[in-house]
Amino acid sequence: MSDLMIEVKGLRVTAGSADGDVVEIVKGVDFTVKKGEVLALIGESGSGKTTIALALLGYTRQGCAFAGGSVRVGTADVLALDDAGRRALRARTVAYVAQSAAAGFNPARTLMDQVVEPALLHRLMTREAARAKAVELFRALALPDPDHIGDRYPHQVSGGQLQRLMAAMALITDPAVVVFDEPTTALDVTTQIEVLVAFKRVIKELGTTAVYVSHDLAVVAQMADRIIVLNGGEVQECGDVDQVLDAPEHAYTRALLAASARKEGQLAPGGVSTEAADVPLLEIRGLSAGYGRIDRNGNPAVRVLDDVNLSIARGSALGVIGESGSGKTTLARVVAGLVERASGSVLFEGQPLSAGLRGRTSDQYRRIQLVFQNADTALNPSHTVEEILGRPLAFYKGLHGAAARRRIGELLDLVKLPASTAARRPGGLSGGQKQRVNFARALAAEPSLILCDEVTSALDTVVGAAILDLLRELRRELGVSYMFISHDISTVRAVCDEVIVLYAGKRVEAGQRGLLDQPPHHPYTGLLVDSVPALKRGWLDARRNVDVATLPPLSDDAVGTGLCSFRARCAARVEGRCNTTPPPLRTLPSGAQILCHRSADELKLLQPLRGVA
């Protein structure tokens, strides 16, 4: 058919297992995509969605091989091409936007040099023409200062901006097909809207055919025309977005939708009673922290946290939410002893914690564990999972040999991984599997407090829901507590008892998790809540007119003065008050405390104005 851009027939991909057997991971997959259509591939980690998407570029991961079938993109028979033919296909006919933009850019080269590189490698235009086209794409993708942003280096732009720059790199060759592989998974909610709106607009304007890989059903509902549901390397269901989301035919699709509903917080968090606990497990008072040399007044060169207060009871979970750059990860690192505080105190079971690891007891070191956001950099790629989990068992528990192997099996079972995973290395695991190994390593120490830094951001809906169930189960059985850092508000709703909201290092709101469900909120909390994608068509289009500004750093005039750092983005600001007087601490009807000049009644009246000025 002349209107077909992609035709996949009987695609089979195999992979070698640890014991030398060959395992079929994609099992006879068939689908077509019309010109200008957006097809979404959804499913759990290991379902084959990324493997199938990469097949459109004629590429398989290390250890995998094409075992049968055909892949046609336009007039090209992809699997029949030689190496030179596949190199010519990639970027020019089929382009790829990866999940981690940070890993896709060379930190030593300017952004412009890297964005124009595909056009120059394929000799499609001169360098001057490529630079001019890149600027046009920067403008179309709503990047700030499009004429000059290309002169920056990767570390000088935000994560959302870097993701859009990767899209510009993919689109500069005018490819017929673009593969988007989980491009917004690691982004906070406001940045995600910004990126999705830009992607959707450019795809429509250029008439690009796209394949969108995701485990986020709410995102898929905004981006795709059709959905293919995958499980175990096989197609379970294929249909229009409305049909798949509203009237799913396959039981597995219904299970995915049910897991998504569970993630939205329809299950209440399960904890242990803390009524008898007089002393919090963790208490933070007046914490200020940052990076660089601390001056004689206790101020770091770069201030990230300013006067933060919180407490976590035994067996409870505290959610910490905010955009990238709000100070969430720095807060966890201060508690873990990886970043020294500039001022304030941190108490663990009523006892002061040393600012650094050197001054802490071995028991304190064991009982506070940090699960890092990026499992790719947290796990040693040269070690097997057994070696990775065996190290904390030997260090904290003195376990070796058969006893250690038994415990490793129990830990893998806890995080829903098969025992055979122990013999594999991180490179042979999916992103979700690596994150579960990362979590199992923390559990090996049998901690009292786990600092969870975006631990479900890389997980698909079903596995993410299983991890949330695990967190609740551990709280009930072991009384373990969590500081749960996330940009995913629905996950915080599902896991946490209490929530604090950070903006540019300041605690702007704190209270029970119900504060996320019912306004009024602090204006910034309202922006975050309104930015969570809804599982319905058209939601993103309704949000197009909301201009989400970039999160500014904690401004110099806010440090020490106590002025509201959100005022530049706040539609509810009061000129003459917000820019001259520190906001008072108010208590809302929900019991939440906010830093704001507006009263609860005023915030209710201003709900239609909530957002960005």
Side-chain angles (χ1 to χ4, degrees):
M1 295 173 64
S2 60
D3 65 340
L4 284 186
M5 179 56 68
I6 299 172
E7 186 176 25
V8 175
K9 289 184 176 179
L11 178 64
R12 295 172 53 240
V13 180
T14 58
S17 66
D19 56 9
D21 293 336
V22 174
V23 178
E24 194 170 39
I25 58 174
V26 175
K27 306 168 183 177
V29 166
D30 302 284
F31 64 88
T32 59
V33 187
K34 296 178 181 179
K35 292 179 181 177
E37 188 175 42
V38 179
L39 175 74
L41 302 178
I42 68 172
E44 300 175 62
S45 297
S47 63
K49 54 187 187 294
T50 295
T51 301
I52 293 167
L54 290 174
L56 302 178
L57 291 88
Y59 178 82
T60 59
R61 290 169 171 166
Q62 186 175 6
C64 299
F66 296 115
S70 64
V71 176
R72 185 171 292 277
V73 178
T75 59
D77 185 353
V78 175
L79 303 190
L81 296 173
D82 58 15
D83 288 343
R86 293 184 186 184
R87 283 195 297 272
L89 175 85
R90 295 166 189 165
R92 187 169 185 175
T93 303
V94 185
Y96 181 70
V97 178
Q99 177 176 347
S100 175
F105 281 89
N106 185 332
R109 297 175 58 201
T110 67
L111 294 164
M112 180 62 80
D113 283 346
Q114 297 179 74
V115 169
V116 302
E117 187 175 44
L120 301 181
L121 284 175
H122 290 277
R123 300 180 181 178
L124 299 178
M125 59 191 82
T126 64
R127 181 174 291 276
E128 292 72 21
R131 290 180 67 89
K133 185 168 185 178
V135 171
E136 291 176 10
L137 286 169
F138 296 163
R139 189 168 285 110
L141 289 164
L143 283 159
D145 193 13
D147 292 318
H148 301 102
I149 193 171
D151 298 330
R152 303 181 194 176
Y153 289 86
H155 71 277
Q156 295 175 315
V157 299
S158 70
Q161 291 167 358
L162 202 60
Q163 204 71 49
R164 281 176 284 164
L165 286 158
M166 178 173 274
M169 187 193 303
L171 293 166
I172 197 165
T173 59
D174 292 326
V177 175
V178 178
V179 175
F180 293 92
D181 190 0
E182 302 272 16
T184 63
T185 294
L187 303 180
D188 59 65
V189 287
T190 54
T191 306
Q192 178 174 250
I193 288 180
E194 187 181 302
V195 172
L196 290 176
V197 168
F199 284 176
K200 191 167 186 176
R201 180 174 56 244
V202 170
I203 288 171
K204 184 176 181 180
E205 289 176 354
L206 300 181
T208 304
T209 304
V211 174
Y212 199 98
V213 177
S214 182
H215 62 255
D216 192 328
L217 292 169
V219 167
V220 165
Q222 315 313 315
M223 298 298 294
D225 300 305
R226 287 192 303 125
I227 293 176
I228 287 179
V229 181
L230 296 159
N231 185 31
E234 297 180 291
V235 174
Q236 305 298 311
E237 184 163 354
C238 179
D240 292 339
V241 170
D242 291 335
Q243 177 265 303
V244 173
L245 296 181
D246 297 336
E249 296 176 355
H250 197 279
Y252 178 71
T253 309
R254 292 193 290 272
L256 283 180
L257 290 166
S260 182
R262 289 162 64 208
K263 183 185 174 186
E264 290 296 328
Q266 293 181 10
L267 292 180
V272 298
S273 173
T274 58
E275 293 180 0
D278 296 326
V279 179
L281 180 69
L282 180 76
E283 187 174 10
I284 293 176
R285 301 172 183 168
L287 174 66
S288 295
Y291 298 92
R293 185 183 296 275
I294 298 174
D295 64 23
R296 65 181 62 185
N297 296 319
N299 296 313
V302 178
R303 185 182 291 259
V304 179
L305 297 170
D306 184 36
D307 193 26
V308 174
N309 297 276
L310 63 87
S311 66
I312 302 176
R314 290 177 178 82
S316 70
L318 173 74
V320 182
I321 62 175
E323 294 166 289
S324 297
S326 61
K328 305 186 303 295
T329 294
T330 300
L331 176 61
R333 289 175 174 267
V334 168
V335 175
L338 300 178
V339 172
E340 294 199 8
R341 56 187 179 268
S343 60
S345 59
V346 179
L347 306 176
F348 188 69
E349 293 188 324
Q351 299 300 312
L353 273 180
S354 170
L357 288 176
R358 288 174 180 258
R360 299 189 181 184
T361 67
S362 58
D363 191 56
Q364 289 173 336
Y365 189 35
R366 175 188 68 80
R367 293 179 62 197
I368 300 176
Q369 292 293 309
L370 174 61
V371 179
F372 294 95
Q373 176 179 0
N374 190 344
D376 284 320
T377 57
L379 302 177
N380 190 325
S382 65
H383 289 178
T384 65
V385 171
E386 181 175 344
E387 290 170 329
I388 290 169
L389 299 184
R391 185 174 181 183
L393 291 176
F395 183 78
Y396 293 120
K397 299 295 182 180
L399 294 181
H400 299 277
R405 287 191 292 273
R406 280 195 300 272
R407 182 56 180 156
I408 289 169
E410 293 171 357
L411 290 168
L412 292 175
D413 185 58
L414 272 176
V415 297
K416 314 300 181 188
L417 287 173
S420 59
T421 308
R424 301 171 68 181
R425 288 181 169 81
L429 303 175
S430 70
Q433 290 169 330
K434 281 182 278 195
Q435 190 62 291
R436 283 178 278 170
V437 171
N438 201 15
F439 194 75
R441 180 172 58 183
L443 292 175
E446 297 183 8
S448 298
L449 174 66
I450 301 180
L451 309 170
C452 301
D453 189 1
E454 302 279 11
V455 294
T456 60
S457 64
L459 304 180
D460 60 72
T461 304
V462 171
V463 175
I467 290 295
L468 298 185
D469 287 341
L470 170 64
L471 297 179
R472 285 187 285 261
E473 182 180 338
L474 291 171
R475 287 179 61 191
R476 286 192 300 268
E477 296 184 0
L478 305 178
V480 67
S481 302
Y482 304 110
M483 178 187 288
F484 198 91
I485 292 167
S486 182
H487 62 256
D488 187 338
I489 291 176
S490 60
T491 298
V492 171
R493 281 190 179 111
V495 171
C496 300
D497 306 300
E498 297 183 347
V499 177
I500 69 168
V501 182
L502 292 180
Y503 182 81
K506 295 283 286 187
R507 193 194 79 168
V508 297
E509 184 157 4
Q512 298 294 313
R513 75 180 184 107
L515 69 85
L516 300 172
D517 300 325
Q518 187 65 40
H521 312 287
H522 186 280
Y524 176 60
T525 308
L527 173 63
L528 294 179
V529 171
D530 287 351
S531 299
V532 178
L535 188 56
K536 62 181 180 180
R537 294 275 274 175
W539 177 88
L540 183 64
D541 294 329
R543 293 284 299 174
R544 280 176 181 267
N545 295 327
V546 178
D547 179 21
V548 179
T550 302
L551 176 70
L554 189 60
S555 58
D556 291 337
D557 64 349
V559 174
T561 66
L563 294 177
C564 176
S565 54
F566 185 60
R567 64 188 185 277
R569 297 172 67 187
C570 182
R573 66 178 174 266
V574 183
E575 297 300 336
R577 288 166 61 190
C578 294
N579 58 341
T580 61
T581 309
L585 185 65
R586 295 184 182 274
T587 301
L588 298 176
S590 65
Q593 293 183 322
I594 64 170
L595 286 175
C596 190
H597 285 286
R598 294 286 192 179
S599 68
D601 290 338
E602 288 176 311
L603 289 172
K604 275 187 177 181
L605 292 173
L606 290 168
Q607 292 304 311
L609 298 177
R610 190 170 63 201
V612 182

